[in-house]
């Protein structure tokens, strides 16, 4: 271990760290929005749109982010859609994450028990009231574990951005290793960088999961 | 204009080369899953044992893999093995090692969870029949746990298959690496070839993963 | 003089600071059926589970065939082949068929010949009218049917003592009688030594030779069955029988 190497690399890692955090945040928020929309389309069985949503969810979940990014960044320019690597990264991550989130929410909606739905119906609720007051509040609470897993997954997936040369954490480390041929120091910094992001996130999500569960079901 | 690019897939031996690349991805995924499931089962069983030290070590092992992206894991193996440990393996082996350790970590958690959800009464009625601890796990607890955990295991397998896309990063001749070579070699003749090559690879991954996730979903619906 | 098969001496069991069993001593002769009765929370099931090594105990002795049982997992594993146990919730293994459930322990633990055990299993299943279900999975059977299989599963081990822990408590009333008949026949025809814990006084009265009355983890009296139900020695037992409408 050479401490001067670590010291010199700190600013570069700082930039990579900020970029990873920022891309993760944008990607997670975008994914949740897309996921909510897609899962609602599926829930209300909106004609055509729900089929499109289902096709999208399956395509997003069953293909790797890497190839999705290659498509956006290398193939789309051929038909005239040019975008920066950061734009491609964000669109790719939201495309992927939206599918995962939608699947999680749908699972939550389906987890609401029949007896809950029946008792709502017995109170004379219509389809939308049932969704608004029974299925969604309970369904979102039930999908919290999936949401938490997806958040962790999406943060880690930003490391794939290195293939389109977005200078996030992983790309920063690989660049430095390539330039200076020192791997131990740079890999250690990379691991610590992810630990600094992931450990608080995991703890926060665990706390949030308990809180939401308690708020919705009281246990 | 774009449709002419499709010819790149069938000129020369391109299509066959892509299939060979795909096969590399498939066997690396399959081997890693098999090795990972075996190690993960042992780790998972150990994590239900009373020994606190073993449990703690395995928990930390699992958490490390939860924190680190698979790209980082792959590079850790790729750099540490030859440079610090002086082990010079081909890229494919290093990939199998990295993926197996990752699958083992994730599967150990699945096994532990499933074992803990097998009712205590099952364990006691096994013990009351005079089964040894080993026999209890082998004939009673693990078969029931495997059934519970099958959907999660299939989902893990689909993730391993998708993650093979990062093999190109350590220069393994996987389907994407072959695809890139074909695109570069034919850029002049077929400028829209990139669309078709990546499109085909996208499709390859989809037909590998989609049936598995449908299977996992139907199993989960049945368990409800 | 009939042979003494099981003896418990000055057994004490604690859960943390709380003492669940106080100075329990009794013995069991070959062919005897002992019913452990008492109000809820009196420690009946705890005592029964202790006799199968499913609960540990602080001090005291369990003597099986004149030999003190060392409280180690290994020793208990060996003894359990001689002391079988049937549970309230049947606890058949859902991943195995009826026949596989029965064969598991005799072939894997006792390493007996598979064909021989299988033949015996069919014979036992016939005795409880379950032979046609040999290849069925437990989830397809009713509670009463599952309990019959659970009894056969224990019998297939050729145990010397069988512990029956509330084996009729989860069953529909019309199924209870059938299970009781099986236990009765085991006693009359096979002279099987048994200890049963139950809340159903009729069951105890029908099959037991001796009654061990327990309250708050203490033995209040041990009385021959007939006498227990007609003229119990202790006031507490009288009160208990009155509470049970007996």
């Amino acid at each position: 271990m050479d401490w001067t190497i670590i010291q010199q690399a700190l600013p570069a890692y700082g930039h990579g760290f900020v970029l990873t955090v920022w891309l993760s945040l944008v990607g997670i928020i975008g994914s949740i929005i897309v996921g909510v929309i897609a899962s609602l389309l599926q829930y209300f069985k909106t004609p055509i749109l729900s089929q499109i949503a289902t096709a999208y969810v399956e395509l997003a979940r069953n293909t790797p982010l890497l190839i999705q990014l290659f498509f956006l960044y290398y193939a789309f320019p051929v038909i005239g859609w040019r975008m920066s690597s950061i734009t491609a990264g964000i669109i790719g991550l939201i495309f992927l994450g939206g599918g995962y989130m939608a699947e999680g929410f749908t699972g939550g909606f389906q987890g609401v028990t029949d007896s809950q739905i029946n008792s709502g119906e017995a109170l004379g609720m219509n389809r939308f009231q049932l969704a608004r007051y029974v299925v969604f509040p309970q369904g979102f609470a039930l999908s919290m574990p999936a949401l938490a897993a997806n958040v962790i997954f999406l943060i880690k997936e930003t490391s794939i951005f290195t293939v389109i040369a977005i200078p996030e954490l992983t790309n920063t480390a690989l660049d430095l290793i390539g330039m200076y041929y020192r791997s131990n120091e740079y890999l250690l910094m990379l691991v610590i960088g992810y630990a600094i992001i992931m450990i608080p996130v995991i703890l926060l999500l665990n706390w949030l999961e308990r809180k939401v569960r308690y708020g919705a079901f009281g246990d | 204009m774009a449709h002419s690019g499709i010819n790149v897939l069938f000129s020369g031996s391109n299509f066959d080369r892509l299939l060979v690349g795909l096969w590399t991805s498939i066997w690396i995924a399959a081997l890693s899953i098999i090795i990972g499931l075996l190690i993960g089962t042992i780790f998972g069983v150990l994590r239900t044992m009373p020994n606190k030290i073993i449990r703690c070590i395995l928990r930390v092992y699992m958490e490390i893999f939860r924190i680190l992206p698979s790209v980082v894991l792959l590079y850790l193996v790729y750099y540490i093995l030859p440079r610090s440990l002086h082990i010079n393996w081909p890229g494919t082996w290093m990939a199998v090692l990295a993926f197996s350790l990752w699958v083992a970590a994730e599967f150990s958690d699945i096994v532990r969870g499933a074992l803990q959800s097998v009712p205590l009464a099952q364990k006691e009625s096994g013990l009351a029949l005079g089964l040894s601890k080993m026999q209890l796990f082998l004939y009673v607890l693990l078969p029931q746990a495997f059934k519970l955990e099958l959907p999660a295991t299939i989902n893990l397998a689909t993730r391993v298959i998708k993650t093979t896309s990062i093999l190109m990063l350590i220069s393994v001749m996987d389907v994407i690496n072959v695809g890139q070579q074909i695109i570069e070699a034919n850029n002049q003749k077929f400028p829209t070839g990139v669309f078709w090559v990546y499109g085909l690879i996208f499709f390859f991954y989809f037909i590998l993963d989609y049936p598995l996730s449908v299977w996992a979903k139907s199993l989960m619906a049945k368990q409800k | 003089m009939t042979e003494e098969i099981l003896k418990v001496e000055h057994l004490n069991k604690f859960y943390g600071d709380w003492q669940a069993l106080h100075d329990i001593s009794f013995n069991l002769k070959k062919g005897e059926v002992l019913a452990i009765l008492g109000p809820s929370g009196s420690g009946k099931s705890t005592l029964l589970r202790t006799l199968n090594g499913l609960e540990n105990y602080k001090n005291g002795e369990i003597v099986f065939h004149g030999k003190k049982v060392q409280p180690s997992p290994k020793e208990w594993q060996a003894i359990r082949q001689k002391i079988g146990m049937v549970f309230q919730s049947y606890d058949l293994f859902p991943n195995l068929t009826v026949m596989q459930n029965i064969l598991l322990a005799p072939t894997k633990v006792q390493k007996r010949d598979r064909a021989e055990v299988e033949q015996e299993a069919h014979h036992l299943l016939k005795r409880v009218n379950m032979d046609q279900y040999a290849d069925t999975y437990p989830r397809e059977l009713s509670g009463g049917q599952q309990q019959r299989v659970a009894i056969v599963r224990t019998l297939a081990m050729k145990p010397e003592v069988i512990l029956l822990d509330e084996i009729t408590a989860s069953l529909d009333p019309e199924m209870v009688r059938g299970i009781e008949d099986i236990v009765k026949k085991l006693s009359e025809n096979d002279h099987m030594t048994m200890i049963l814990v139950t809340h159903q006084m009729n069951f105890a009265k029908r099959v037991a030779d001796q009654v061990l009355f327990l309250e708050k983890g203490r033995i209040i009296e041990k009385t021959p069955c007939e006498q227990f139900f007609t003229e119990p020695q202790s006031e507490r037992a009288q009160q208990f029988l009155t509470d049970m409408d007996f």
Side-chain angles (χ1 to χ4, degrees):
Chain A
M1 278 305 144
D2 189 336
W3 291 104
T4 53
I5 287 182
I6 291 181
Q7 229 167 17
Q8 281 164 356
L10 267 177
Y13 272 92
H15 284 123
F17 184 89
V18 171
L19 196 54
T20 292
V21 171
W22 184 76
L23 289 168
S24 301
L25 258 179
V26 176
I28 289 163
I29 293 168
S31 299
I32 291 176
I33 294 170
V34 172
V36 167
I37 295 170
S39 63
L40 290 188
L41 290 176
Q42 287 177 303
Y43 178 78
F44 286 114
K45 304 198 167 60
T46 332
I48 304 166
L49 285 179
S50 84
Q51 278 86 357
I52 293 174
T54 303
Y56 154 66
V57 170
E58 295 303 340
L59 281 176
R61 286 177 61 243
N62 290 302
T63 51
L65 176 63
L66 187 139
I67 196 80
Q68 294 168 5
L69 291 177
F70 275 8
F71 229 96
L72 288 166
Y73 194 62
Y74 295 119
F76 274 9
V78 176
I79 55 168
W81 296 353
R82 234 162 263 285
M83 58 188 95
S84 72
S85 58
I86 298 257
T87 311
I90 290 173
I91 294 176
L93 193 63
I94 294 177
F95 177 84
L96 175 86
Y100 274 85
M101 292 290 184
E103 185 70 9
F105 295 140
T106 302
F109 299 158
Q110 286 167 351
V112 178
T113 56
D114 287 343
S115 66
Q116 282 290 315
I117 292 172
N118 290 342
S119 58
E121 285 167 342
L123 290 170
M125 290 187 191
N126 66 28
R127 205 156 72 104
F128 289 94
Q129 288 166 330
L130 204 60
R132 164 77 183 76
Y133 298 108
V134 180
V135 178
F136 292 165
Q138 292 186 26
F140 281 118
L142 287 173
S143 59
M144 262 311 284
L147 185 108
N150 289 342
V151 166
I152 293 168
F153 169 69
L154 289 176
I155 297 173
K156 294 202 290 187
E157 283 291 281
T158 60
S159 62
I160 305 273
F161 290 169
T162 186
V163 299
I164 52 172
I166 295 176
E168 43 68 62
L169 261 180
T170 304
N171 189 261
T172 305
L174 296 180
D175 252 13
L176 289 169
I177 293 171
M179 275 191 284
Y180 302 109
Y181 202 74
R182 300 285 306 211
S183 48
N184 288 349
E185 289 84 353
Y186 295 136
L187 287 174
L188 179 73
M189 291 176 82
L190 178 62
V191 169
I192 290 173
Y194 278 109
I196 293 175
I197 299 175
M198 299 303 293
I199 292 172
V201 168
I202 289 173
L203 292 176
L204 185 77
L205 288 170
N206 285 349
W207 174 79
L208 204 66
E209 235 176 274
R210 273 201 303 274
K211 210 167 153 78
V212 169
R213 211 180 145 81
Y214 184 78
F217 302 102
D219 65 345
Chain B
M1 178 50 197
H3 62 266
S4 66
I6 197 171
N7 294 321
V8 74
L9 299 179
F10 305 106
S11 79
S13 58
N14 285 353
F15 196 77
D16 294 346
R17 285 173 60 202
L18 284 168
L19 283 181
V20 171
L22 184 67
W23 175 242
T24 304
S25 310
I26 291 174
W27 76 252
I28 289 177
L31 193 58
S32 310
I33 290 167
I34 293 168
I35 298 172
L37 293 189
L38 289 175
I39 303 174
T41 303
I42 297 167
F43 284 2
V45 170
L46 289 175
R47 285 188 60 196
T48 63
M49 298 282 175
N51 189 317
K52 275 205 175 116
I53 299 166
I54 293 177
R55 256 166 43 200
C56 183
I57 292 170
L58 290 174
R59 173 79 199 269
V60 170
Y61 172 81
M62 196 271 300
E63 293 292 348
I64 289 171
F65 283 82
R66 201 147 89 109
I67 286 170
L68 293 181
S70 33
V71 177
V72 175
L73 294 173
L74 190 62
Y75 274 114
L76 285 176
V77 171
Y78 183 71
Y79 284 119
I80 291 175
L81 231 48
R83 291 191 187 179
S84 301
L85 303 173
H86 306 289
I87 298 169
N88 283 299
W89 280 3
T92 46
W93 289 23
M94 291 203 265
V96 170
L97 176 67
F99 287 177
S100 301
L101 293 175
W102 165 52
V103 173
E106 296 240 1
F107 194 60
S108 76
D109 213 39
I110 296 174
V111 171
R112 181 194 56 86
L115 282 175
Q116 283 172 348
S117 56
V118 174
L120 181 67
Q122 283 289 314
K123 197 177 154 186
E124 291 189 339
S125 81
L127 287 176
L129 286 171
L131 296 181
S132 68
K133 259 223 153 120
M134 189 76 166
Q135 289 168 329
L136 189 68
F137 273 105
L138 226 51
Y139 302 117
V140 178
L141 302 181
L142 281 175
Q144 292 183 42
F146 280 133
K147 206 177 161 200
L148 285 173
E149 75 208 10
L150 190 57
T153 311
I154 298 166
N155 281 331
L156 177 59
T158 65
R159 278 165 55 213
V160 177
I161 292 170
K162 278 180 281 184
T163 309
T164 57
S165 60
I166 64 173
L167 289 171
M168 58 156 294
L169 290 171
I170 60 163
S171 321
V172 170
M173 264 302 149
D174 75 325
V175 64
I176 298 178
N177 216 339
V178 172
Q180 280 188 323
Q181 287 185 348
I182 292 173
I183 290 163
E184 272 161 40
N186 297 278
N187 219 353
Q188 300 294 324
K189 229 165 103 194
F190 305 107
T192 58
V194 58
F195 216 86
W196 294 99
V197 172
Y198 286 147
L200 180 70
I201 297 172
F202 188 88
F203 174 72
F204 277 159
Y205 273 107
F206 185 75
I207 55 169
L208 285 178
D209 262 359
Y210 181 63
L212 289 174
S213 42
V214 169
W215 181 26
K217 231 195 255 183
S218 74
L219 283 175
M220 244 169 337
K222 254 189 243 163
Q223 280 184 5
K224 248 184 217 167
Chain C
M1 176 73 203
T2 27
E3 186 192 344
E4 185 179 84
I5 194 162
L6 188 72
K7 193 164 72 174
V8 175
E9 289 198 311
H10 307 296
L11 196 80
N12 287 291
K13 161 143 189 88
F14 289 82
Y15 288 111
D17 288 339
W18 184 68
Q19 189 163 3
L21 296 175
H22 293 260
D23 197 33
I24 301 286
S25 300
F26 67 90
N27 54 40
L28 187 70
K29 294 198 185 86
K30 196 167 162 45
E32 191 175 33
V33 178
L34 176 71
I36 305 178
L37 302 179
S40 297
S42 57
K44 309 183 294 287
S45 281
T46 306
L47 174 55
L48 201 66
R49 290 161 59 81
T50 310
L51 300 179
N52 201 247
L54 292 175
E55 303 278 348
N56 51 17
Y57 46 94
K58 187 163 181 197
N59 47 40
E61 285 184 2
I62 295 174
V63 182
F64 185 61
H65 276 307
K67 212 175 140 265
K68 186 187 163 187
V69 177
Q70 299 301 323
S72 74
K74 233 195 156 80
E75 174 124 345
W76 271 117
Q77 202 216 317
I79 297 228
R80 282 175 186 136
Q81 297 171 38
K82 308 257 171 63
I83 305 180
M85 185 158 180
V86 184
F87 298 85
Q88 174 179 347
S89 48
Y90 346 121
D91 302 313
L92 297 178
F93 305 127
N95 53 312
L96 304 177
T97 63
V98 164
M99 185 50 85
Q100 288 167 338
N101 261 283
I102 299 167
L103 293 184
L104 180 63
T107 57
K108 302 295 180 191
V109 178
Q110 298 180 324
K111 316 263 184 234
R112 277 155 59 194
D113 177 56
R114 193 186 171 84
E116 174 211 312
V117 182
E118 205 168 324
Q119 202 180 356
E120 210 178 284
H122 279 299
H123 174 70
L124 288 168
L125 283 172
K126 265 183 210 132
R127 273 183 65 177
V128 299
N129 288 326
M130 287 295 294
D131 200 32
Q132 66 271 38
Y133 297 106
D135 297 319
T136 311
Y137 281 91
R139 62 171 174 274
E140 295 161 41
L141 301 177
S142 73
Q145 291 173 322
Q146 290 193 45
Q147 196 59 294
R148 285 159 195 255
V149 175
I151 293 170
V152 169
R153 182 173 70 170
T154 300
L155 287 174
M157 297 285 289
K158 298 181 188 282
E160 296 176 31
V161 181
I162 301 183
L163 310 175
L164 306 169
D165 189 6
E166 299 271 19
I167 59 165
T168 54
S170 304
L171 298 179
D172 283 341
E174 57 261 45
M175 301 284 184
V176 170
R177 187 84 190 169
I179 298 291
E180 286 181 8
D181 289 343
I182 291 171
V183 174
K184 181 84 187 159
K185 278 189 190 137
L186 278 176
S187 168
E188 281 177 352
N189 303 348
D190 308 61
H191 308 291
M192 180 60 77
T193 316
M194 290 181 276
I195 304 180
L196 59 105
V197 163
T198 183
H199 277 105
Q200 277 151 330
M201 296 304 121
N202 279 319
F203 183 21
K205 200 176 172 188
R206 267 188 82 194
V207 301
D209 303 313
Q210 295 277 330
V211 170
L212 196 70
F213 181 67
L214 230 60
E215 196 185 65
K216 291 181 182 155
R218 287 189 171 82
I219 293 180
I220 307 297
E221 62 176 278
K222 189 185 172 203
T223 322
C225 186
E226 207 147 313
Q227 190 191 340
F228 181 83
F229 285 103
T230 50
E231 39 182 332
Q233 296 166 327
S234 62
E235 242 173 76
R236 285 171 190 164
Q238 280 171 24
Q239 185 59 44
F240 171 72
L241 288 172
T242 314
D243 290 346
M244 295 304 258
D245 281 330
F246 227 83

